[in-house]
Amino acid sequence: MGSGTAFAQTRSSTPVSSAGKTAGVSAAQHGGHTLTGHRHGSRRDMTGKGGNQAAAAGTGAGRVKAASHHRPKYVSAHGVQSLSVHASHVSRAAELVVPKSVMKEYVPGTSPYKALDRMPGVSFTSTDPFGIDSFGANLYVRGFFMNQLGVTLDGIPLNDQTYQSVNGLSLASAIIPDDIGSMTMSQGGGGVDVPSTNTLGGTIRFTSSDPSDRLGGKVSQAFGSYGSYRTYARFDSGRLNDSGTKFYTSYARTDEGMWEEKGDQFLQQVNAKLVQPLGERSRVSAFFDWTDLQQQNYPDLSLGMINNLGWRVPHLYPDYGKAYQWAQQCNNSPNNFMAYPGSNGQVNACQMPYYDGGQHETNFLGGLNLDLALTDHLTWHTTAYGHAQSGNYSYTAAASAASEDPDLQVATPNGVPLYQEVWKNSQQRFGINSSLDYRWRHHRINTGVWYENNNQTAGLYNYLEPELGAGAPVKAVGPYNVYGPADRVYNFRWRTNVVQTHLQDTYTILKGLTLTAGFRSLISQTSGGGHENDDSWAALDAGGLPSGSLHATGAFLPHFNLDWRLNRQNEFYIDVSKNMRAYEVSGTGVANSLFSVPNQQEFLRQKAQTKPARAWTYMGGYRFTSSIVQLDATVYHSTLMHELLAGARGTMFNPISEEFDFGRISMTGANGSVSVRPLPGLIITNTLSYNKGTYDRDVTSSAGNYYPLKGKNIVNYPAWMYKASIAYTWRGLNAHFDANYFGRRYYSFMNDTSIGSYWLANTGVTYTFRKLAGVRDLTVSFNVYNLFNNRYIAMMGENNNPPVGDYQSLERGATREYFGTISAAF
């Protein structure tokens, strides 16, 4: 739904603060004029000696939002303030900035990860066009999955939770996309100051926009295919007093009609932010988010199901009668529903989700940021936060004794051959992250500490469905106890405590030559496990459900960055880092966690052999920036050690799970991007990326099976990606077209199954009336997603990847959809 706007990168000799608020200049391209911007110090450089502070706000052509009370002065060769999009190279790594102006080219409400997908080396796909379905969102950066990246919002760790794990929070539930002020992505291993237990493959930092100094607001209404619509409204108080107190509150509601059969995907959010300046150089701010997500999901499929049943394989919702009949006589159900290979030949229809599946998740997130200028040389930043989450994730499963597999025979008290299987997850976490930043001569020294406590639960429950004609079936999003209490299968409880400290020094060796050296120390301890268990659960045969404690300790996780800016156009940089990822927690059989193994005996065996995952990343890059050509090229090598992943065979409702410690995974690659401005207002961008990721040793799984994996390619991430885009801006008009190529992705660890390559194209046009009938910035837009209606697989390995062959763990990407939007500011 977006275009391929060019990204120019610049830096100054003044480093950004270690707290991570990027100080690069970022704004929209307009009128064909280009101003090569330079950073004037950090947002947290409150001494005034770093120059004026500019935030990467990108609020539109000719306007730049300052990150403090001082506003930078810009001068272009044409005498107008028309800025090109810039990404600043910060002290700890090469970070690419995606300004808000870029996100504006997408349909409002679209996941910001869609904008990241323009970057070389980034792959983001989703089952829905907005990219908010947490079951179907799939983000990779240089071969690292989204739960291996350190993601923060206003300094609050998100850890970008997937539905399989009870860790952190997904971006879609953390903030309304319209309220994001800026986002940056590291090209290397990420900063030592980032509060995250996931940072193996780099960091992504989001900041919320500040309230406006002027009383006003914005409204936006979008309409799309399949009855989709999205509403957004925001009110800004403006400056309420002489001290500069201001706030905003906003509300967004997204209703996505499903492109296959019937169903709805619903998300509503409330955001609020308060900013209170403290004198001229300090401030305190508070951010709040409430999210209610209720979505029916697209079915999980295997390659065999797609090949034998056709591309559009739906749930049977809302035809409960047909689902009831098929479950009642599952061995006699239509032959085509049995025509996909399982672990032991053909799998009958009892082993498929007939009716529907869904999720219902509620989140509360709050954060308080305190920035204090203690002296002319010393600043102090503190972030305190809290997060509460409750989530239900469900599927309708067959409960027929006609099944040939005794493990699938679920005895329902009312004799109904269907039941609702629900995973219930919850977490309550709070934390504080505090750091000091000291400038002394040619040094900038930053040190800090982060602490988080997380209380988590995960359980599996089976709920009754009604007899045919005796009432409406249970909804996929609940309530679930309509026809009686649940049959509890298991329940887990954990408590996780994390402590991280860091120290780094940014040393300006010579003008244009800067060295950053630092390290972090991370300790994560998780204790708990299964505490409720159905008597028939197989885990009782081997000591009960997994329970115990896990420790992940990294005493010295270093990071080095050398940046050499030869002149205004040429820059070289080298980045080296070591990172560690703490253990995840999840219920039995659903994720890559030691607690997801079948029983206590296996947990103790694997605990004695397993180490927390670590990664070394080496990166070198070159950047060239001029008014006509912008070029960025990087090469990298990552070595990932002791990554723990789960494999699955059999069927989704009776998986045969195996845990793999891969020992060592190597990824070597190169990324390049070239943007050309041949005419005023016209931008042509091309990016190319290559990644050779392989497993470096043969492995024996937790089930005792041997797999000769040495030299096999990593799963789910393409070796080749190519992205081309063209965008044209003239006065209030912007038109864009982009096309992305994704190469072959391997599905099984042994590489005997794979997903073919595909193209995905989007286009759109936007026109903005600066003033019309007393309304400011009235904007109308029309976007087309998946322009050529190509078929592609969006999510791979949702229920884990198969070691060999096929498995029901794929989700298809959205079909072609049209969206129209009208918005206005006042």
Side-chain angles (χ1 to χ4, degrees):
M1 286 183 280
S3 71
T5 307
F7 294 89
Q9 296 88 17
T10 64
R11 64 165 286 282
S12 74
S13 59
T14 306
V16 79
S17 74
S18 64
K21 300 269 182 129
T22 305
V25 178
S26 304
Q29 295 144 333
H30 182 66
H33 303 301
T34 302
L35 175 65
T36 302
H38 295 275
R39 290 189 295 118
H40 296 269
S42 165
R43 176 175 182 170
R44 294 190 181 127
D45 172 19
M46 300 181 184
T47 66
K49 295 187 176 182
N52 295 329
Q53 298 92 357
T59 55
R63 292 177 291 125
V64 175
K65 182 176 181 180
S68 75
H69 306 303
H70 306 287
R71 293 188 178 272
K73 297 179 181 179
Y74 301 102
V75 180
S76 76
H78 301 273
V80 293
Q81 296 177 355
S82 300
L83 310 184
S84 64
V85 178
H86 287 74
S88 298
H89 175 67
V90 299
S91 60
R92 67 192 147 266
E95 290 199 347
L96 297 177
V97 176
V98 184
K100 192 172 182 179
S101 59
V102 175
M103 291 183 278
K104 286 182 178 180
E105 294 181 359
Y106 291 83
V107 177
T110 301
S111 170
Y113 288 146
K114 287 278 191 179
L116 276 182
D117 190 47
R118 299 182 188 180
M119 304 290 193
V122 178
S123 170
F124 178 78
T125 54
S126 60
T127 57
D128 67 305
F130 284 94
I132 61 177
D133 182 357
S134 62
F135 275 74
N138 192 351
L139 174 70
Y140 279 87
V141 179
R142 299 186 308 276
F144 289 95
F145 189 51
M146 58 200 306
N147 64 0
Q148 297 172 318
L149 305 173
V151 183
T152 63
L153 170 65
D154 287 351
I156 302 171
L158 301 184
N159 286 343
D160 222 325
Q161 172 203 23
T162 62
Y163 90 98
Q164 292 182 324
S165 62
V166 196
N167 299 271
L169 173 65
S170 69
L171 176 64
S173 294
I175 187 172
I176 300 173
D178 308 65
D179 295 330
I180 291 178
S182 65
M183 63 174 169
T184 64
M185 181 188 71
S186 67
Q187 290 181 288
V192 298
D193 62 305
V194 176
S196 172
T197 58
N198 281 19
T199 310
L200 283 178
T203 57
I204 305 174
R205 309 179 194 235
F206 296 88
T207 60
S208 60
S209 60
D210 279 351
S212 173
D213 287 338
R214 184 172 67 173
L215 175 67
K218 180 181 179 180
V219 292
S220 173
Q221 183 65 58
F223 299 94
S225 302
Y226 304 101
S228 301
Y229 66 91
R230 198 259 185 179
T231 304
Y232 170 78
R234 169 166 161 161
F235 170 75
D236 284 85
S237 68
R239 291 171 59 93
L240 298 174
N241 49 41
D242 291 339
S243 68
T245 306
K246 55 184 178 179
F247 72 88
Y248 74 75
T249 183
S250 59
Y251 172 79
R253 172 183 173 130
T254 302
D255 281 84
E256 288 189 274
M258 299 181 72
W259 50 265
E260 181 183 76
E261 298 301 323
K262 304 294 183 180
D264 183 66
Q265 296 187 311
F266 170 79
L267 171 68
Q268 63 175 341
Q269 291 176 275
V270 173
N271 283 175
K273 186 173 183 178
L274 171 70
V275 174
Q276 175 59 63
L278 303 174
E280 294 184 357
R281 299 183 298 169
S282 302
R283 78 173 202 167
V284 60
S285 64
F287 176 80
F288 170 79
D289 171 78
W290 168 80
T291 302
D292 178 33
L293 174 70
Q294 300 182 44
Q295 294 188 343
Q296 289 178 277
N297 295 327
Y298 294 95
D300 300 300
L301 304 174
S302 68
L303 288 170
M305 292 169 67
I306 295 173
N307 292 333
N308 287 284
L309 307 180
W311 183 255
R312 287 181 175 265
V313 183
H315 284 132
L316 297 183
Y317 175 87
D319 194 342
Y320 182 68
K322 180 180 289 188
Y324 195 99
Q325 179 184 8
W326 285 13
Q328 199 171 36
Q329 303 175 353
C330 59
N331 279 338
N332 299 318
S333 60
N335 290 332
N336 63 345
F337 252 81
M338 296 185 289
Y340 78 96
S343 59
N344 299 305
Q346 299 298 310
V347 176
N348 64 46
C350 297
Q351 296 171 304
M352 295 184 62
Y354 294 117
Y355 187 56
D356 66 356
Q359 54 185 309
H360 186 181
E361 186 177 291
T362 303
N363 285 278
F364 293 88
L365 176 69
L368 182 69
N369 280 275
L370 180 65
D371 290 278
L372 294 178
L374 301 179
T375 70
D376 286 345
H377 299 275
L378 181 64
T379 58
W380 178 29
H381 175 76
T382 297
T383 300
Y385 61 91
H387 169 222
Q389 179 187 71
S390 176
N392 299 306
Y393 313 92
S394 72
Y395 264 120
T396 305
S400 175
S403 171
E404 296 176 357
D405 191 335
D407 290 335
L408 294 176
Q409 297 176 11
V410 178
T412 58
N414 57 0
V416 174
L418 292 169
Y419 67 97
Q420 197 76 11
E421 190 168 276
V422 182
W423 291 266
K424 290 180 171 289
N425 295 344
S426 70
Q427 60 179 320
Q428 298 81 40
R429 63 188 178 113
F430 65 88
I432 186 168
N433 183 28
S434 188
S435 63
L436 290 170
D437 192 90
Y438 182 68
R439 290 179 179 274
W440 176 69
R441 294 184 178 179
H442 298 290
H443 295 267
R444 183 168 188 171
I445 302 171
N446 185 276
T447 185
V449 60
W450 167 52
Y451 169 75
E452 181 179 277
N453 172 268
N454 195 347
N455 294 282
Q456 304 141 300
T457 67
L460 177 61
Y461 300 82
N462 296 330
Y463 288 87
L464 296 177
E465 290 281 8
E467 295 183 17
L468 197 60
V474 173
K475 294 181 179 180
V477 297
Y480 303 106
N481 58 351
V482 179
Y483 301 101
D487 174 24
R488 184 192 66 239
V489 180
Y490 63 69
N491 196 49
F492 285 79
R493 290 179 182 172
W494 303 276
R495 174 172 291 180
T496 301
N497 288 283
V498 178
V499 177
Q500 175 180 288
T501 59
H502 76 269
L503 173 65
Q504 75 172 7
D505 178 24
T506 300
Y507 174 47
T508 303
I509 304 172
L510 300 169
K511 183 179 180 181
L513 183 62
T514 304
L515 173 66
T516 297
F519 72 96
R520 65 182 179 124
S521 299
L522 176 65
I523 300 174
S524 176
Q525 179 186 27
T526 298
S527 59
H531 73 103
E532 293 179 334
N533 203 133
D534 184 83
D535 290 341
S536 63
W537 188 249
L540 292 178
D541 298 333
L545 290 172
S547 182
S549 62
L550 296 174
H551 300 263
T553 303
F556 184 70
L557 302 171
H559 178 249
F560 304 94
N561 179 265
L562 181 66
D563 184 85
W564 183 25
R565 184 168 181 82
L566 280 72
N567 49 47
R568 293 177 61 87
Q569 292 184 326
N570 297 279
E571 180 183 10
F572 293 89
Y573 48 91
I574 298 173
D575 194 271
V576 179
S577 64
K578 181 183 181 181
N579 282 302
M580 182 190 75
R581 181 173 182 241
Y583 294 107
E584 284 189 310
V585 296
S586 63
T588 295
V590 297
N592 307 316
S593 167
L594 288 181
F595 289 103
S596 68
V597 299
N599 51 59
Q600 179 70 7
Q601 178 178 311
E602 180 63 21
F603 173 81
L604 294 175
R605 187 186 73 82
Q606 290 205 31
K607 177 182 175 181
Q609 299 178 355
T610 304
K611 299 178 181 179
R614 285 175 166 82
W616 276 99
T617 297
Y618 310 87
M619 187 202 66
Y622 168 73
R623 181 174 300 120
F624 175 85
T625 304
S626 74
S627 59
I628 298 177
V629 178
Q630 301 167 18
L631 180 147
D632 197 322
T634 61
V635 293
Y636 64 89
H637 175 80
S638 294
T639 301
L640 180 59
M641 295 163 286
H642 300 294
E643 175 65 1
L644 184 68
L645 294 175
R649 296 178 290 116
T651 66
M652 198 175 89
F653 290 103
N654 185 37
I656 303 172
S657 298
E658 301 178 75
E659 296 289 334
F660 293 84
D661 181 347
F662 286 97
R664 183 185 175 102
I665 301 173
S666 296
M667 292 182 289
T668 302
N671 297 323
S673 66
V674 179
S675 294
V676 181
R677 186 190 297 267
L679 298 171
L682 178 63
I683 304 169
I684 302 173
T685 302
N686 288 270
T687 73
L688 181 66
S689 62
Y690 172 74
N691 179 286
K692 178 62 175 177
T694 59
Y695 304 110
D696 291 349
R697 75 171 192 181
D698 301 335
V699 300
T700 300
S701 72
S702 60
N705 296 316
Y706 171 78
Y707 296 96
L709 289 181
K710 186 176 181 179
K712 300 296 183 182
N713 296 284
I714 61 174
V715 295
N716 304 338
Y717 185 72
W720 288 98
M721 287 188 290
Y722 169 72
K723 303 172 185 181
S725 63
I726 182 170
Y728 181 69
T729 300
W730 180 75
R731 296 184 179 179
L733 176 70
N734 176 270
H736 52 81
F737 170 82
D738 58 83
N740 295 351
Y741 169 81
F742 299 87
R744 177 175 299 275
R745 293 168 290 169
Y746 289 97
Y747 186 35
S748 68
F749 295 131
M750 286 296 295
N751 293 176
D752 60 331
T753 51
S754 62
I755 305 298
S757 60
Y758 69 95
W759 284 89
L760 188 64
N762 312 299
T763 190
V765 60
T766 299
Y767 192 85
T768 300
F769 302 89
R770 292 303 178 190
K771 288 186 179 180
L772 182 66
V775 178
R776 177 169 54 90
D777 291 342
L778 177 65
T779 301
V780 292
S781 64
F782 178 74
N783 292 75
V784 184
Y785 173 80
N786 193 358
L787 178 63
F788 302 115
N789 203 27
N790 289 339
R791 296 177 176 180
Y792 66 97
I793 297 297
M795 182 66 179
M796 299 176 61
E798 177 191 343
N799 303 308
N800 303 317
N801 288 75
V804 180
D806 201 1
Y807 185 63
Q808 194 174 342
S809 191
L810 301 172
E811 291 206 33
R812 296 149 298 169
T815 59
R816 178 171 52 218
E817 297 193 33
Y818 305 90
F819 294 89
T821 306
I822 183 170
S823 62
F826 58 88

